Amino acid sequence: MQKLIINGGKRLGGEIRIQGAKNAALPIIAACTLCGGEIILHNCPRISDVYSAMRILTYLGCKVGFEDKNHLSVKAENISVNDIPDELMREMRSSVFFLGAVLGRTGKCRITLPGGCDLGPRPIDMHISALRKMGVTIREEFGVLDCTAEKGLRGAKINLSFPSVGTTENIMLAAVLAEGTTVIQNAAREPEISDLAGFLNSCGAKISGAGCGRIVINGVEKLHSCEYTIMPDRIVCATYLSCAAAAGGELVVSGCRPADMESIMNVFEQMGCIVHSAADKIYFSADHPLKAVAPIRTMVFPGFPTDAQAVLMAALCKAKGTSVFVENIFENRFKHVGELCRMGADILVEGKVAVIEGVERLYGAKVCAADLRGGAGLVTAALSAEGVSEISDIHYIDRGYEEIEKVLSSIGAGIARE
Ligand code: EPZ
Protein backbone atom coordinates (compact mmCIF):
# COMPACT_ATOMS: atom_id res chain seq x y z
CA MET A 1 0.00 0.00 0.00
CA GLN A 2 1.32 3.46 -0.91
CA LYS A 3 2.17 6.06 1.72
CA LEU A 4 2.93 9.79 1.80
CA ILE A 5 6.13 10.70 3.67
CA ILE A 6 6.07 14.35 4.76
CA ASN A 7 8.98 16.23 6.27
CA GLY A 8 7.17 19.13 7.95
CA GLY A 9 8.14 22.64 8.96
CA LYS A 10 8.99 24.08 5.53
CA ARG A 11 7.34 27.33 4.46
CA LEU A 12 5.45 27.10 1.17
CA GLY A 13 5.71 29.50 -1.76
CA GLY A 14 4.92 29.68 -5.45
CA GLU A 15 2.02 29.32 -7.86
CA ILE A 16 -0.29 26.35 -8.47
CA ARG A 17 -3.21 25.73 -10.79
CA ILE A 18 -6.40 24.19 -9.37
CA GLN A 19 -7.72 20.94 -10.90
CA GLY A 20 -11.26 20.45 -12.20
CA ALA A 21 -13.95 19.78 -9.59
CA LYS A 22 -14.51 16.13 -8.62
CA ASN A 23 -18.08 16.86 -7.51
CA ALA A 24 -18.92 18.49 -10.84
CA ALA A 25 -17.06 15.98 -13.04
CA LEU A 26 -18.77 12.92 -11.55
CA PRO A 27 -22.43 13.85 -12.20
CA ILE A 28 -21.40 15.30 -15.60
CA ILE A 29 -19.69 12.04 -16.57
CA ALA A 30 -22.85 10.14 -15.57
CA ALA A 31 -24.88 12.65 -17.63
CA CYS A 32 -22.91 11.66 -20.75
CA THR A 33 -24.99 8.44 -20.88
CA LEU A 34 -27.98 10.65 -21.77
CA CYS A 35 -26.27 12.08 -24.86
CA GLY A 36 -26.27 10.65 -28.37
CA GLY A 37 -23.00 12.00 -29.75
CA GLU A 38 -19.40 12.42 -28.60
CA ILE A 39 -18.79 14.53 -25.52
CA ILE A 40 -15.44 16.25 -24.82
CA LEU A 41 -14.88 17.33 -21.22
CA HIS A 42 -12.03 19.79 -20.59
CA ASN A 43 -10.38 20.29 -17.17
CA CYS A 44 -11.43 16.79 -16.07
CA PRO A 45 -9.34 15.75 -13.05
CA ARG A 46 -7.37 12.47 -13.24
CA ILE A 47 -8.51 11.11 -9.88
CA SER A 48 -9.56 7.60 -8.92
CA ASP A 49 -13.27 8.47 -8.61
CA VAL A 50 -13.19 9.63 -12.25
CA TYR A 51 -11.58 6.33 -13.27
CA SER A 52 -14.34 4.50 -11.35
CA ALA A 53 -16.98 6.47 -13.25
CA MET A 54 -15.18 5.61 -16.51
CA ARG A 55 -15.36 1.91 -15.64
CA ILE A 56 -19.13 2.21 -15.18
CA LEU A 57 -19.48 4.00 -18.54
CA THR A 58 -17.43 1.26 -20.24
CA TYR A 59 -19.57 -1.44 -18.61
CA LEU A 60 -22.72 0.29 -19.91
CA GLY A 61 -21.32 0.14 -23.46
CA CYS A 62 -19.79 3.62 -23.84
CA LYS A 63 -16.37 4.40 -25.29
CA VAL A 64 -14.44 6.64 -22.88
CA GLY A 65 -10.82 7.77 -22.51
CA PHE A 66 -8.51 10.69 -21.80
CA GLU A 67 -7.41 12.33 -25.06
CA ASP A 68 -4.59 14.13 -23.31
CA LYS A 69 -3.85 15.16 -19.72
CA ASN A 70 -7.27 16.47 -18.70
CA HIS A 71 -9.51 16.17 -21.76
CA LEU A 72 -11.94 13.27 -21.48
CA SER A 73 -13.84 11.93 -24.51
CA VAL A 74 -17.10 9.98 -24.05
CA LYS A 75 -19.11 8.27 -26.81
CA ALA A 76 -22.45 6.98 -25.55
CA GLU A 77 -24.22 6.12 -28.82
CA ASN A 78 -24.88 2.54 -27.72
CA ILE A 79 -25.93 1.84 -24.16
CA SER A 80 -26.10 -1.94 -24.18
CA VAL A 81 -26.99 -2.74 -20.56
CA ASN A 82 -28.92 -1.04 -17.79
CA ASP A 83 -27.66 -2.75 -14.69
CA ILE A 84 -24.53 -1.77 -12.74
CA PRO A 85 -22.76 -4.57 -10.81
CA ASP A 86 -22.15 -4.27 -7.09
CA GLU A 87 -18.36 -4.09 -7.39
CA LEU A 88 -18.70 -0.96 -9.54
CA MET A 89 -21.45 0.59 -7.41
CA ARG A 90 -19.41 0.15 -4.23
CA GLU A 91 -16.41 2.11 -5.47
CA MET A 92 -17.94 5.51 -4.72
CA ARG A 93 -21.05 7.43 -3.68
CA SER A 94 -21.33 9.07 -7.09
CA SER A 95 -22.26 5.76 -8.71
CA VAL A 96 -25.80 6.66 -7.58
CA PHE A 97 -25.92 9.35 -10.30
CA PHE A 98 -25.97 6.60 -12.91
CA LEU A 99 -29.41 5.60 -11.58
CA GLY A 100 -31.02 8.82 -12.80
CA ALA A 101 -28.95 8.89 -16.00
CA VAL A 102 -29.55 5.27 -17.08
CA LEU A 103 -33.26 5.57 -16.20
CA GLY A 104 -33.42 8.76 -18.23
CA ARG A 105 -31.82 7.04 -21.21
CA THR A 106 -33.36 3.52 -21.09
CA GLY A 107 -36.32 3.64 -18.67
CA LYS A 108 -34.83 0.79 -16.65
CA CYS A 109 -31.95 0.44 -14.18
CA ARG A 110 -30.80 -2.14 -11.68
CA ILE A 111 -28.21 -1.10 -9.09
CA THR A 112 -27.03 -1.94 -5.59
CA LEU A 113 -26.56 0.71 -2.91
CA PRO A 114 -23.60 3.06 -3.60
CA GLY A 115 -20.30 3.07 -1.69
CA GLY A 116 -18.09 6.07 -0.89
CA CYS A 117 -16.46 7.58 2.18
CA ASP A 118 -17.98 6.37 5.44
CA LEU A 119 -19.33 9.68 6.79
CA GLY A 120 -22.42 8.15 8.35
CA PRO A 121 -25.34 6.09 6.95
CA ARG A 122 -25.66 8.19 3.74
CA PRO A 123 -29.07 6.74 2.72
CA ILE A 124 -30.63 7.41 -0.68
CA ASP A 125 -34.25 7.56 0.54
CA MET A 126 -34.73 11.03 -0.97
CA HIS A 127 -33.40 9.87 -4.36
CA ILE A 128 -35.83 6.93 -4.32
CA SER A 129 -38.93 8.90 -3.29
CA ALA A 130 -38.21 11.56 -5.94
CA LEU A 131 -37.83 8.98 -8.73
CA ARG A 132 -41.06 7.25 -7.63
CA LYS A 133 -42.85 10.60 -8.06
CA MET A 134 -41.52 10.63 -11.65
CA GLY A 135 -43.20 7.33 -12.44
CA VAL A 136 -40.39 4.92 -11.57
CA THR A 137 -41.34 1.62 -9.92
CA ILE A 138 -38.56 0.72 -7.50
CA ARG A 139 -38.31 -2.70 -5.88
CA GLU A 140 -35.69 -2.98 -3.10
CA GLU A 141 -34.60 -6.52 -2.30
CA PHE A 142 -31.39 -7.64 -0.52
CA GLY A 143 -29.68 -4.33 -1.28
CA VAL A 144 -30.61 -4.45 -4.98
CA LEU A 145 -32.77 -1.66 -6.45
CA ASP A 146 -34.78 -2.82 -9.48
CA CYS A 147 -36.10 0.33 -11.17
CA THR A 148 -38.45 0.53 -14.16
CA ALA A 149 -40.50 3.36 -15.66
CA GLU A 150 -43.06 1.25 -17.59
CA LYS A 151 -44.72 4.30 -19.12
CA GLY A 152 -41.49 6.31 -19.34
CA LEU A 153 -40.37 9.02 -16.92
CA ARG A 154 -42.76 11.89 -16.39
CA GLY A 155 -42.14 15.37 -14.99
CA ALA A 156 -43.21 15.99 -11.37
CA LYS A 157 -43.17 18.67 -8.70
CA ILE A 158 -40.69 17.54 -6.03
CA ASN A 159 -40.23 19.20 -2.66
CA LEU A 160 -36.94 18.23 -0.99
CA SER A 161 -37.08 18.05 2.83
CA PHE A 162 -33.33 18.80 2.76
CA PRO A 163 -31.40 20.44 -0.11
CA SER A 164 -29.50 17.23 -0.89
CA VAL A 165 -26.79 17.68 -3.55
CA GLY A 166 -26.98 14.13 -4.89
CA THR A 167 -30.76 14.00 -4.88
CA THR A 168 -30.99 17.32 -6.76
CA GLU A 169 -28.52 16.02 -9.36
CA ASN A 170 -30.24 12.64 -9.75
CA ILE A 171 -33.60 14.32 -10.34
CA MET A 172 -32.03 16.59 -12.97
CA LEU A 173 -30.53 13.56 -14.76
CA ALA A 174 -33.86 11.70 -14.75
CA ALA A 175 -35.88 14.78 -15.77
CA VAL A 176 -34.03 16.14 -18.83
CA LEU A 177 -35.56 13.54 -21.21
CA ALA A 178 -38.78 12.97 -19.21
CA GLU A 179 -42.28 13.78 -20.55
CA GLY A 180 -43.31 17.23 -19.26
CA THR A 181 -41.87 19.58 -16.65
CA THR A 182 -40.13 18.82 -13.37
CA VAL A 183 -39.86 21.41 -10.60
CA ILE A 184 -37.44 20.87 -7.70
CA GLN A 185 -38.32 22.97 -4.65
CA ASN A 186 -35.65 23.42 -1.95
CA ALA A 187 -33.03 22.24 -4.43
CA ALA A 188 -29.35 22.21 -3.46
CA ARG A 189 -27.57 25.42 -4.54
CA GLU A 190 -23.95 24.22 -4.66
CA PRO A 191 -21.92 25.54 -7.64
CA GLU A 192 -21.52 21.95 -8.87
CA ILE A 193 -25.30 21.84 -9.45
CA SER A 194 -25.02 24.88 -11.74
CA ASP A 195 -22.11 23.22 -13.55
CA LEU A 196 -24.19 20.09 -14.21
CA ALA A 197 -27.06 22.28 -15.48
CA GLY A 198 -24.58 24.19 -17.67
CA PHE A 199 -23.35 20.94 -19.20
CA LEU A 200 -26.86 19.54 -19.79
CA ASN A 201 -28.05 22.81 -21.35
CA SER A 202 -24.99 22.73 -23.65
CA CYS A 203 -26.29 19.35 -24.84
CA GLY A 204 -29.76 20.79 -25.56
CA ALA A 205 -31.55 20.38 -22.21
CA LYS A 206 -33.91 23.05 -20.92
CA ILE A 207 -32.99 23.72 -17.27
CA SER A 208 -33.48 27.01 -15.45
CA GLY A 209 -32.96 28.14 -11.85
CA ALA A 210 -29.86 26.07 -11.05
CA GLY A 211 -27.99 27.70 -8.17
CA CYS A 212 -31.26 28.95 -6.71
CA GLY A 213 -33.59 26.97 -4.49
CA ARG A 214 -36.06 26.23 -7.30
CA ILE A 215 -34.97 24.41 -10.46
CA VAL A 216 -37.29 23.90 -13.47
CA ILE A 217 -36.50 21.20 -16.06
CA ASN A 218 -38.56 21.01 -19.26
CA GLY A 219 -38.13 17.56 -20.79
CA VAL A 220 -36.76 17.40 -24.37
CA GLU A 221 -36.68 14.61 -26.98
CA LYS A 222 -32.94 14.03 -27.00
CA LEU A 223 -29.56 15.51 -26.10
CA HIS A 224 -26.74 16.09 -28.59
CA SER A 225 -22.95 16.14 -28.33
CA CYS A 226 -20.99 19.07 -26.89
CA GLU A 227 -17.65 20.22 -25.52
CA TYR A 228 -17.66 21.48 -21.94
CA THR A 229 -15.11 22.77 -19.43
CA ILE A 230 -15.57 21.54 -15.87
CA MET A 231 -15.48 24.17 -13.10
CA PRO A 232 -12.49 24.40 -10.73
CA ASP A 233 -12.52 22.40 -7.51
CA ARG A 234 -13.29 24.79 -4.64
CA ILE A 235 -12.48 22.18 -1.97
CA VAL A 236 -9.09 21.32 -3.49
CA CYS A 237 -8.42 25.09 -3.58
CA ALA A 238 -9.42 25.36 0.11
CA THR A 239 -7.09 22.45 0.84
CA TYR A 240 -3.97 24.00 -0.69
CA LEU A 241 -4.72 27.35 0.94
CA SER A 242 -5.05 25.49 4.28
CA CYS A 243 -1.64 23.91 3.64
CA ALA A 244 -0.12 27.38 3.13
CA ALA A 245 -1.88 28.67 6.24
CA ALA A 246 -0.65 25.73 8.32
CA ALA A 247 2.96 25.79 7.08
CA GLY A 248 3.19 29.54 6.55
CA GLY A 249 4.12 31.11 3.22
CA GLU A 250 2.90 32.93 0.11
CA LEU A 251 0.76 31.24 -2.54
CA VAL A 252 -0.77 32.30 -5.85
CA VAL A 253 -3.61 29.97 -6.89
CA SER A 254 -4.81 30.20 -10.50
CA GLY A 255 -7.67 28.59 -12.41
CA CYS A 256 -9.98 28.93 -9.41
CA ARG A 257 -13.34 30.66 -8.86
CA PRO A 258 -13.10 32.88 -5.72
CA ALA A 259 -16.83 33.63 -5.86
CA ASP A 260 -17.51 29.96 -4.90
CA MET A 261 -15.40 30.30 -1.77
CA GLU A 262 -16.60 33.38 0.13
CA SER A 263 -17.42 31.48 3.35
CA ILE A 264 -13.99 29.79 3.34
CA MET A 265 -12.08 33.02 2.62
CA ASN A 266 -13.84 34.63 5.55
CA VAL A 267 -12.36 32.01 7.88
CA PHE A 268 -8.83 32.49 6.52
CA GLU A 269 -9.14 36.26 7.09
CA GLN A 270 -10.28 35.66 10.70
CA MET A 271 -7.14 33.48 11.11
CA GLY A 272 -5.01 36.47 10.14
CA CYS A 273 -4.16 35.32 6.61
CA ILE A 274 -4.01 37.91 3.83
CA VAL A 275 -6.34 37.01 0.96
CA HIS A 276 -6.79 38.94 -2.29
CA SER A 277 -8.63 37.63 -5.34
CA ALA A 278 -8.97 38.81 -8.92
CA ALA A 279 -10.68 36.94 -11.79
CA ASP A 280 -9.47 33.31 -11.52
CA LYS A 281 -6.61 33.96 -9.11
CA ILE A 282 -6.20 34.09 -5.33
CA TYR A 283 -3.17 35.80 -3.74
CA PHE A 284 -2.65 34.31 -0.29
CA SER A 285 -0.12 34.77 2.51
CA ALA A 286 0.07 33.47 6.06
CA ASP A 287 2.49 33.91 8.90
CA HIS A 288 2.51 32.42 12.35
CA PRO A 289 0.96 32.43 14.78
CA LEU A 290 -2.48 32.13 13.26
CA LYS A 291 -5.49 33.23 15.30
CA ALA A 292 -8.33 30.99 16.45
CA VAL A 293 -11.69 31.78 14.81
CA ALA A 294 -15.35 32.15 15.79
CA PRO A 295 -17.35 28.88 15.76
CA ILE A 296 -17.60 27.35 12.28
CA ARG A 297 -20.90 25.63 11.46
CA THR A 298 -20.93 23.46 8.34
CA MET A 299 -23.95 24.34 6.20
CA VAL A 300 -25.32 23.85 2.71
CA PHE A 301 -24.10 26.37 0.11
CA PRO A 302 -23.47 29.28 0.45
CA GLY A 303 -22.61 28.41 4.07
CA PHE A 304 -19.28 26.90 5.15
CA PRO A 305 -18.90 23.58 3.24
CA THR A 306 -18.60 20.33 5.20
CA ASP A 307 -15.91 19.18 2.73
CA ALA A 308 -13.56 21.96 3.94
CA GLN A 309 -14.02 21.14 7.65
CA ALA A 310 -11.09 18.73 8.03
CA VAL A 311 -8.47 20.84 6.26
CA LEU A 312 -9.40 24.06 8.06
CA MET A 313 -9.40 22.17 11.37
CA ALA A 314 -5.87 20.96 10.61
CA ALA A 315 -4.73 24.51 9.86
CA LEU A 316 -6.23 25.70 13.18
CA CYS A 317 -4.45 23.12 15.38
CA LYS A 318 -1.61 25.57 16.14
CA ALA A 319 -3.70 28.79 16.04
CA LYS A 320 -3.60 30.84 19.23
CA GLY A 321 -6.84 30.31 21.16
CA THR A 322 -9.86 28.02 20.95
CA SER A 323 -11.73 27.19 17.73
CA VAL A 324 -14.99 25.24 17.44
CA PHE A 325 -16.49 23.28 14.53
CA VAL A 326 -20.12 22.14 14.43
CA GLU A 327 -20.60 19.42 11.77
CA ASN A 328 -24.23 19.72 10.71
CA ILE A 329 -24.23 17.75 7.45
CA PHE A 330 -22.77 14.30 8.18
CA GLU A 331 -23.08 12.15 11.29
CA ASN A 332 -19.54 10.83 11.33
CA ARG A 333 -17.09 13.29 9.88
CA PHE A 334 -14.51 13.70 12.66
CA LYS A 335 -12.50 10.54 12.03
CA HIS A 336 -9.38 12.64 11.35
CA VAL A 337 -9.47 14.06 14.93
CA GLY A 338 -7.88 11.01 16.58
CA GLU A 339 -5.05 11.05 14.04
CA LEU A 340 -4.49 14.80 14.48
CA CYS A 341 -4.21 14.21 18.24
CA ARG A 342 -1.49 11.63 17.56
CA MET A 343 0.46 14.56 16.07
CA GLY A 344 0.00 16.57 19.28
CA ALA A 345 -3.23 18.42 18.50
CA ASP A 346 -5.58 19.15 21.41
CA ILE A 347 -9.10 18.45 20.11
CA LEU A 348 -12.19 17.33 22.02
CA VAL A 349 -15.20 15.89 20.16
CA GLU A 350 -18.67 15.85 21.73
CA GLY A 351 -21.26 14.60 19.21
CA LYS A 352 -21.26 16.98 16.28
CA VAL A 353 -19.04 19.54 18.03
CA ALA A 354 -15.22 19.58 17.90
CA VAL A 355 -13.29 21.98 20.18
CA ILE A 356 -9.70 22.77 19.10
CA GLU A 357 -7.31 24.24 21.69
CA GLY A 358 -4.34 25.73 19.81
CA VAL A 359 -0.99 24.11 20.72
CA GLU A 360 2.57 25.41 20.30
CA ARG A 361 3.68 22.66 17.98
CA LEU A 362 2.67 19.47 16.20
CA TYR A 363 4.99 16.47 15.82
CA GLY A 364 5.45 14.14 12.86
CA ALA A 365 3.75 10.77 13.42
CA LYS A 366 2.49 7.64 11.64
CA VAL A 367 -1.19 8.29 10.85
CA CYS A 368 -3.90 6.71 8.69
CA ALA A 369 -6.39 8.38 6.36
CA ALA A 370 -9.95 7.18 6.98
CA ASP A 371 -11.74 9.23 4.30
CA LEU A 372 -10.97 11.63 1.47
CA ARG A 373 -11.06 15.04 3.17
CA GLY A 374 -9.88 13.73 6.53
CA GLY A 375 -6.81 12.37 4.73
CA ALA A 376 -6.21 15.80 3.19
CA GLY A 377 -6.46 17.23 6.70
CA LEU A 378 -3.66 14.92 7.86
CA VAL A 379 -1.46 16.14 4.98
CA THR A 380 -2.21 19.74 5.98
CA ALA A 381 -1.23 19.12 9.62
CA ALA A 382 1.90 17.11 8.69
CA LEU A 383 3.21 20.06 6.65
CA SER A 384 3.17 22.20 9.81
CA ALA A 385 4.51 19.50 12.16
CA GLU A 386 8.12 19.17 13.33
CA GLY A 387 9.71 16.04 11.97
CA VAL A 388 8.56 13.32 9.60
CA SER A 389 4.99 12.05 9.20
CA GLU A 390 3.93 8.91 7.40
CA ILE A 391 0.36 8.86 6.08
CA SER A 392 -1.06 5.49 5.03
CA ASP A 393 -4.32 4.50 3.27
CA ILE A 394 -3.75 7.36 0.87
CA HIS A 395 -6.05 5.74 -1.72
CA TYR A 396 -8.75 7.81 0.01
CA ILE A 397 -6.84 10.99 -0.83
CA ASP A 398 -6.26 9.89 -4.43
CA ARG A 399 -10.05 9.70 -4.88
CA GLY A 400 -10.23 13.50 -5.02
CA TYR A 401 -6.73 14.99 -5.40
CA GLU A 402 -4.76 14.77 -8.65
CA GLU A 403 -1.05 14.16 -7.86
CA ILE A 404 -1.22 15.86 -4.46
CA GLU A 405 2.47 15.22 -3.73
CA LYS A 406 3.56 16.82 -7.04
CA VAL A 407 1.47 19.92 -6.45
CA LEU A 408 2.77 20.37 -2.90
CA SER A 409 6.40 19.61 -3.85
CA SER A 410 6.16 22.32 -6.54
CA ILE A 411 5.61 24.92 -3.80
CA GLY A 412 8.38 23.71 -1.49
CA ALA A 413 6.77 21.00 0.63
CA GLY A 414 8.94 18.07 1.72
CA ILE A 415 6.59 15.32 0.52
CA ALA A 416 7.05 12.06 -1.39
CA ARG A 417 4.90 9.07 -2.30
CA GLU A 418 6.34 5.68 -1.33
C1 EPZ B 1 -22.25 15.44 -2.07
O1 EPZ B 1 -22.54 14.23 -1.38
C2 EPZ B 1 -20.74 15.46 -2.26
N1 EPZ B 1 -20.34 14.32 -3.07
C3 EPZ B 1 -20.06 15.40 -0.90
O2 EPZ B 1 -18.65 15.51 -1.12
C4 EPZ B 1 -20.51 16.61 -0.07
O3 EPZ B 1 -19.96 16.51 1.22
C5 EPZ B 1 -22.05 16.61 0.03
O4 EPZ B 1 -22.63 16.58 -1.29
C6 EPZ B 1 -22.57 17.84 0.77
O5 EPZ B 1 -22.15 18.99 0.11
C7 EPZ B 1 -20.47 14.40 -4.42
O6 EPZ B 1 -20.95 15.38 -4.95
C8 EPZ B 1 -19.98 13.24 -5.21
P1 EPZ B 1 -26.10 15.13 0.20
P2 EPZ B 1 -24.08 13.72 -1.24
O7 EPZ B 1 -27.04 14.27 -0.56
O8 EPZ B 1 -24.79 13.95 -2.52
C9 EPZ B 1 -28.38 13.01 3.82
C10 EPZ B 1 -16.39 14.89 -0.90
O9 EPZ B 1 -15.61 14.83 0.07
N2 EPZ B 1 -29.19 12.35 2.78
O10 EPZ B 1 -26.22 16.62 0.11
O11 EPZ B 1 -24.06 12.37 -0.64
C11 EPZ B 1 -26.94 12.48 3.82
O12 EPZ B 1 -26.86 11.30 4.58
C12 EPZ B 1 -17.82 14.39 -0.75
O13 EPZ B 1 -16.08 15.35 -2.03
C13 EPZ B 1 -30.26 11.56 3.19
O14 EPZ B 1 -30.53 11.42 4.39
O15 EPZ B 1 -24.60 14.76 -0.13
C14 EPZ B 1 -26.17 13.62 4.44
O16 EPZ B 1 -26.26 13.53 5.84
C15 EPZ B 1 -18.10 13.87 0.65
N3 EPZ B 1 -31.01 10.93 2.27
C16 EPZ B 1 -26.91 14.85 3.93
O17 EPZ B 1 -28.21 14.40 3.51
C17 EPZ B 1 -30.75 11.05 0.92
O18 EPZ B 1 -31.49 10.45 0.11
C18 EPZ B 1 -26.21 15.55 2.78
O19 EPZ B 1 -26.16 14.64 1.73
C19 EPZ B 1 -29.66 11.85 0.53
C20 EPZ B 1 -28.90 12.50 1.47
Side-chain angles (χ1 to χ4, degrees), residues 41-80:
L41 298 178
H42 300 292
N43 203 33
C44 184
R46 282 184 179 247
I47 53 178
S48 58
D49 271 9
V50 164
Y51 289 114
S52 298
M54 290 165 68
R55 279 192 284 279
I56 294 177
L57 282 181
T58 305
Y59 179 85
L60 292 172
C62 303
K63 288 189 179 53
V64 56
F66 275 102
E67 291 197 329
D68 63 33
K69 185 133 177 20
N70 292 106
H71 296 190
L72 188 71
S73 160
V74 183
K75 292 182 186 126
E77 282 89 350
N78 320 302
I79 297 284
S80 47

Side-chain angles (χ1 to χ4, degrees), residues 240-305:
Y240 292 132
L241 294 177
S242 296
C243 292
E250 287 75 34
L251 202 52
V252 176
V253 174
S254 58
C256 61
R257 228 160 59 177
D260 293 342
M261 304 177 61
E262 301 279 336
S263 60
I264 300 168
M265 300 306 190
N266 177 269
V267 173
F268 284 125
E269 284 166 346
Q270 286 182 54
M271 290 162 75
C273 303
I274 298 168
V275 188
H276 296 300
S277 56
D280 75 336
K281 284 186 189 303
I282 293 174
Y283 303 87
F284 184 91
S285 72
D287 273 309
H288 292 151
L290 295 173
K291 291 181 279 186
V293 298
I296 297 173
R297 293 171 180 80
T298 64
M299 307 292 283
V300 297
F301 193 84
F304 184 90

Side-chain angles (χ1 to χ4, degrees), residues 43-350:
N43 203 33
C44 184
R46 282 184 179 247
I47 53 178
S48 58
D49 271 9
V50 164
Y51 289 114
S52 298
M54 290 165 68
R55 279 192 284 279
I56 294 177
L57 282 181
T58 305
Y59 179 85
L60 292 172
C62 303
K63 288 189 179 53
V64 56
F66 275 102
E67 291 197 329
D68 63 33
K69 185 133 177 20
N70 292 106
H71 296 190
L72 188 71
S73 160
V74 183
K75 292 182 186 126
E77 282 89 350
N78 320 302
I79 297 284
S80 47
V81 298
N82 46 35
D83 75 305
I84 300 172
D86 187 42
E87 62 273 14
L88 289 179
M89 284 300 297
R90 279 181 182 279
E91 288 187 18
M92 57 179 183
R93 169 84 177 175
S94 315
S95 47
V96 73
F97 299 137
F98 284 90
L99 175 56
V102 171
L103 273 173
R105 176 75 182 263
T106 69
K108 282 176 68 65
C109 187
R110 184 183 159 83
I111 63 164
T112 53
L113 294 177
C117 285
D118 174 12
L119 308 175
R122 300 188 82 179
I124 58 168
D125 54 306
M126 294 168 71
H127 297 244
I128 289 171
S129 71
L131 292 171
R132 281 182 169 140
K133 285 200 187 98
M134 297 177 72
V136 183
T137 309
I138 299 178
R139 224 160 30 84
E140 295 178 63
E141 216 165 40
F142 316 118
V144 177
L145 298 182
D146 225 335
C147 311
T148 45
E150 285 90 354
K151 302 193 188 76
L153 284 155
R154 59 172 187 274
K157 188 164 182 183
I158 298 164
N159 226 312
L160 295 182
S161 55
F162 174 86
S164 153
V165 172
T167 306
T168 301
E169 290 166 341
N170 235 341
I171 297 168
M172 289 163 71
L173 294 169
V176 283
L177 297 177
E179 185 64 42
T181 298
T182 298
V183 179
I184 311 173
Q185 299 278 23
N186 195 25
R189 296 165 52 190
E190 273 67 9
E192 292 77 16
I193 303 274
S194 302
D195 216 33
L196 174 61
F199 168 75
L200 287 167
N201 285 341
S202 306
C203 297
K206 287 191 170 48
I207 302 173
S208 57
C212 311
R214 182 175 186 273
I215 299 177
V216 179
I217 303 118
N218 290 306
V220 294
E221 279 299 305
K222 68 187 195 60
L223 297 181
H224 50 70
S225 55
C226 83
E227 276 196 56
Y228 192 77
T229 300
I230 291 167
M231 65 176 272
D233 195 311
R234 58 195 170 103
I235 305 301
V236 167
C237 185
T239 302
Y240 292 132
L241 294 177
S242 296
C243 292
E250 287 75 34
L251 202 52
V252 176
V253 174
S254 58
C256 61
R257 228 160 59 177
D260 293 342
M261 304 177 61
E262 301 279 336
S263 60
I264 300 168
M265 300 306 190
N266 177 269
V267 173
F268 284 125
E269 284 166 346
Q270 286 182 54
M271 290 162 75
C273 303
I274 298 168
V275 188
H276 296 300
S277 56
D280 75 336
K281 284 186 189 303
I282 293 174
Y283 303 87
F284 184 91
S285 72
D287 273 309
H288 292 151
L290 295 173
K291 291 181 279 186
V293 298
I296 297 173
R297 293 171 180 80
T298 64
M299 307 292 283
V300 297
F301 193 84
F304 184 90
T306 172
D307 293 350
Q309 176 250 105
V311 293
L312 263 297
M313 181 188 289
L316 285 163
C317 285
K318 292 188 346 184
K320 280 181 96 56
T322 305
S323 303
V324 175
F325 281 87
V326 184
E327 175 53 62
N328 293 309
I329 305 295
F330 288 105
E331 291 83 359
N332 183 15
R333 203 168 196 175
F334 286 138
K335 285 189 286 189
H336 44 284
V337 169
E339 300 302 284
L340 290 173
C341 293
R342 278 171 187 273
M343 300 170 82
D346 178 354
I347 307 172
L348 172 71
V349 170
E350 280 291 334

